[in-house]
């Protein structure tokens, strides 16, 4: 009752402040937005300074990392709440129904870049802590908050922060508030995120574009060669045909598999994505392929003429951007090297091939029996009124494994995101109901951990 009344009392100011947060184009991927990214950090810092916590601004990285803590007694449980203030680029702008950085509400839904990912979720987390401290002046709980500005570009350098400030990051439970819960009808709690590694491959042949009439049929076309190289990464059953790719995968045991739900089928994904064709790895459902299996994906491919009409050339070069989503046991560096070795091996002789490894991050998995998993399973059941199920998230948050290791903690993968939120896409949105339920989720979690019944 207290938290609902607190929110209602402050509601007008909350939405006004949230809209101001959303209006900051804090894009981390584009250096031309560097000043706006700093404005995002400034906003978070001022918001944290309103809490009864010690606030630090760590400036070692391109985007400042904001950290706040209130350690009352080291014998009490300690939670570390994570979020990020940077957002994806808004392109293509012509597909938005409204300005991505002029937030607008329509039928109880807020539309803006970052509305859900992750300004909505980071903002309601800060509100929850503020309300918690207004209710409890001396709680039996230590709270820490870390909000960074580089998640959308893979959190580069976060390992530096984690190593330098590892003593301050110590916690019992790390709450990654950057995920969803499936749906209100069939809610789930994610037990982890996949890892990721990224590469770019460039194939070139001639010193310049060639006339396709004079040289076509004789000179090996780099685009054709690149497509052949990409297609060699999978066999006819969808298995990744790269030597050693699966060697270190740690499969789930039978008990763990029984605790998981893979009920979402291709029809549901088709409704969400408007996709008309699916090809999961043979022997696995579409949801299993997304949640618990590694992938090799071509994210972009290009070369040659891209303008209107035709231009009869054999392009001098072609390129492809690749990412691999990884599961428990797979090392991003090891997988990247195996992919590079494979591509160089299958490349046609005589072509110039350059494969650049661009980095990545490890997977991070929790277990159904973890204290944090049990707590938030009950919290989500209370909020939705439905029985919770467990699964894994197909996405990646590279920081998670680094932060969990530095904290020496188990993880809880939280959030009230829904597939309809269109994160990373035009018309990203977040309903007020999801926002308020996220606030409830964090306040309920804080209350349970403050009871200190488990001893830690």
């Amino acid at each position: 009752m207290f938290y609902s009344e607190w929110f209602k009392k402050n509601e007008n100011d909350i939405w006004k402040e949230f809209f101001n947060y959303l209006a900051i184009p804090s894009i981390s991927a584009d250096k031309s937005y560097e000043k706006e990214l700093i404005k995002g950090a400034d906003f978070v810092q001022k918001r944290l300074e309103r809490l009864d916590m010690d606030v630090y601004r760590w400036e070692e990285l391109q985007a400042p990392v904001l950290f706040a803590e209130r350690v009352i007694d080291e014998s009490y449980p300690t939670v570390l709440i994570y979020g990020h203030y940077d957002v994806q680029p808004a392109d293509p702008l012509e597909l938005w129904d409204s300005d991505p950085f002029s937030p607008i509400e329509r039928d109880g839904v807020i539309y803006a870049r970052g509305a859900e990912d992750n300004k909505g979720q980071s903002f309601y987390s800060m509100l929850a802590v503020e309300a918690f401290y207004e209710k409890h002046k001396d709680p039996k709980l230590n709270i820490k908050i870390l909000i960074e500005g580089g998640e959308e570009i893979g959190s580069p350098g976060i390992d530096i922060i984690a190593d330098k400030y590892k003593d301050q990051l110590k916690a019992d439970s790390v709450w990654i508030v950057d995920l969803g819960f499936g749906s209100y009808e069939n809610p789930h709690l994610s037990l982890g995120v996949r890892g990721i590694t990224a590469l770019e491959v460039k194939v070139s042949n001639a010193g310049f574009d060639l006339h396709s009439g004079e040289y076509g049929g004789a000179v090996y076309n780099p685009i054709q060669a690149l497509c052949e190289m990409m297609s060699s990464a999978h066999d006819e059953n969808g298995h990744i045909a790269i030597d050693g790719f699966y060697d270190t995968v740690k499969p789930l045991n039978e008990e763990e598999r029984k605790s998981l739900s893979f009920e979402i089928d291709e029809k549901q994904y088709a409704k969400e994505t408007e996709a008309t064709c699916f090809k999961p790895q043979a022997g696995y459902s579409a949801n299993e392929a997304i949640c618990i299996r590694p992938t090799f994906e071509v994210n972009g491919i290009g070369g040659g003429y891209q303008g209107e009409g035709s231009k009869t050339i054999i392009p001098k070069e072609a390129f492809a951007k690749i990412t691999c989503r990884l599961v428990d046991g797979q090392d991003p560096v090891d997988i990247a090297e195996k992919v590079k070795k494979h591509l160089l091996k299958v490349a046609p002789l005589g072509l110039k091939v350059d494969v650049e490894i661009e980095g990545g991050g490890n997977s991070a998995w929790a277990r159904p029996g973890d204290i944090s998993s049990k707590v938030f399973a009950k919290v989500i059941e209370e909020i939705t009124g439905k029985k919770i199920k467990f699964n894994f998230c197909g996405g990646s948050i590279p920081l998670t494994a680094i932060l969990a290791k530095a904290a020496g903690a188990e993880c809880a993968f939280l959030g009230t995101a829904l597939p309809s939120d269109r994160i990373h896409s035009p018309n990203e949105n977040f309903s007020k109901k999801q926002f308020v339920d996220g606030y409830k989720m964090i306040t309920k979690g804080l209350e349970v951990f403050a009871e200190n019944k488990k001893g830690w």
Side-chain angles (χ1 to χ4, degrees):
M1 184 66 71
F2 171 87
Y3 292 111
S4 296
E5 291 178 351
W6 184 92
F7 193 96
K8 187 176 295 185
K9 180 180 68 175
N10 296 284
E11 188 166 6
N12 289 338
D13 290 337
I14 287 171
W15 296 127
K16 181 179 179 181
E17 189 178 7
F18 180 43
F19 274 42
N20 289 337
Y21 190 19
L22 292 174
I24 303 170
S26 48
I27 299 169
S28 55
D30 188 339
K31 290 185 178 179
S32 67
Y33 286 89
E34 186 173 354
K35 290 183 179 179
E36 285 76 13
L37 191 62
I38 299 302
K39 287 181 182 178
D42 294 341
F43 178 96
V44 172
Q45 180 175 349
K46 290 177 182 177
R47 196 67 192 63
L48 292 173
E49 287 172 348
R50 289 171 52 178
L51 309 180
D52 190 12
M53 306 178 79
D54 296 321
V55 179
Y56 303 86
R57 185 180 177 115
W58 295 336
E59 300 273 11
E60 287 84 351
L61 308 182
Q62 172 189 342
V65 175
L66 285 307
F67 179 78
E69 64 178 351
R70 183 181 174 191
V71 179
I72 298 171
D73 188 320
E74 292 188 358
S75 67
Y76 295 162
T78 301
V79 300
L80 172 57
I81 301 172
Y82 166 80
H84 61 92
Y85 61 84
D86 66 316
V87 299
Q88 282 276 326
D91 305 84
L93 294 175
E94 66 272 14
L95 296 183
W96 284 81
D97 294 333
S98 55
D99 187 323
F101 295 107
S102 296
I104 187 172
E105 178 191 344
R106 295 194 294 270
D107 299 323
V109 179
I110 298 169
Y111 291 83
R113 172 59 86 227
E116 184 258 278
D117 184 21
N118 180 251
K119 288 181 176 178
Q121 309 226 64
S122 63
F123 192 66
Y124 72 58
S125 297
M126 290 186 281
L127 291 175
V129 173
E130 181 179 7
F132 178 79
Y133 280 141
E134 283 200 25
K135 181 180 179 183
H136 301 281
K137 301 303 180 184
D138 191 25
K140 293 183 177 181
L141 179 68
N142 305 315
I143 302 176
K144 302 179 180 181
I145 303 173
L146 187 148
I147 301 180
E148 56 134 343
E151 194 277 340
E152 297 294 2
I153 55 173
S155 301
I158 203 69
D159 53 328
I160 297 171
I161 293 293
D163 183 63
K164 184 173 182 178
Y165 300 104
K166 58 186 176 183
D167 291 338
Q168 283 182 271
L169 294 172
K170 293 298 180 185
D172 297 297
S173 180
V174 176
W175 299 0
I176 307 296
V177 192
D178 196 14
L179 289 92
F181 66 111
S183 70
Y184 281 96
E185 294 74 26
N186 296 293
H188 68 243
L189 176 64
S190 178
L191 293 175
V193 291
R194 291 191 287 189
I196 191 171
T197 192
L199 307 93
E200 181 167 350
V201 56
K202 181 185 290 185
V203 177
S204 55
N205 193 0
F208 45 87
D209 293 348
L210 302 176
H211 189 291
S212 65
E214 295 183 6
Y215 297 101
V219 174
Y220 210 137
N221 189 313
I223 294 179
Q224 177 186 342
L226 182 62
C227 291
E228 292 168 353
M229 292 165 62
M230 295 301 101
S231 67
S232 74
H234 294 90
D235 65 17
E236 65 276 10
N237 293 314
H239 294 89
I240 298 170
I242 295 173
D243 288 344
F245 193 91
Y246 297 110
D247 285 356
T248 58
V249 171
K250 294 180 181 178
L252 296 167
N253 60 42
E254 192 62 31
E255 183 178 350
E256 289 170 333
R257 285 189 66 86
K258 287 181 179 179
S259 69
L260 299 174
S261 171
F262 299 108
E263 292 182 357
I264 298 176
D265 59 17
E266 291 178 11
K267 290 182 180 179
Q268 177 65 28
Y269 284 128
K271 182 179 179 181
E272 294 173 4
T273 64
E274 300 181 11
T276 58
C277 184
F278 293 85
K279 191 182 179 182
Q281 184 180 358
Y284 296 90
S285 68
N287 202 15
E288 286 176 310
I290 289 173
C291 294
I292 62 172
R293 296 299 291 167
T295 68
F296 174 100
E297 298 290 352
V298 180
N299 308 124
I301 192 165
Y305 180 63
Q306 305 290 326
E308 186 176 351
S310 64
K311 185 180 183 183
T312 53
I313 61 166
I314 299 171
K316 61 174 289 189
E317 62 186 18
F319 71 90
K321 293 180 180 290
I322 301 163
T323 53
C324 299
R325 301 286 180 170
L326 311 177
V327 298
D328 197 18
Q330 290 182 300
D331 176 74
V333 176
D334 174 63
I335 295 300
E337 290 292 346
K338 287 174 178 174
V339 172
K340 180 177 181 178
K341 183 178 179 180
H342 172 84
L343 294 176
L344 293 175
K345 179 181 177 182
V346 301
L349 291 176
L351 292 179
K352 307 178 191 72
V353 179
D354 178 61
V355 182
E356 182 179 351
I357 297 173
E358 298 180 338
N362 286 294
S363 62
W365 286 23
R367 292 293 182 263
D370 291 349
I371 294 173
S372 302
S373 300
K374 291 179 179 179
V375 167
F376 281 103
K378 292 180 180 178
V379 167
I380 297 174
E381 287 179 353
E382 185 176 340
I383 289 173
T384 63
K386 302 287 186 177
K387 184 69 175 177
I388 193 71
K389 296 175 182 178
F390 294 107
N391 71 359
F392 286 90
C393 173
S396 304
I397 307 176
L399 161 142
T400 308
I402 296 171
L403 195 58
K405 182 179 179 180
E410 63 185 34
C411 285
F413 299 88
L414 308 175
T416 52
L418 296 174
S420 58
D421 296 342
R422 294 197 175 190
I423 63 170
H424 295 200
S425 297
N427 298 313
E428 180 179 352
N429 62 88
F430 201 41
S431 72
K432 285 186 169 181
K433 175 176 174 53
Q434 290 167 262
F435 185 101
V436 174
D437 284 342
Y439 161 81
K440 291 178 181 178
M441 178 186 296
I442 301 302
T443 56
K444 288 176 183 292
L446 293 172
E447 289 287 342
V448 173
F449 275 72
E451 292 177 4
N452 200 21
K453 291 181 178 179
K454 295 294 182 180
W456 293 92

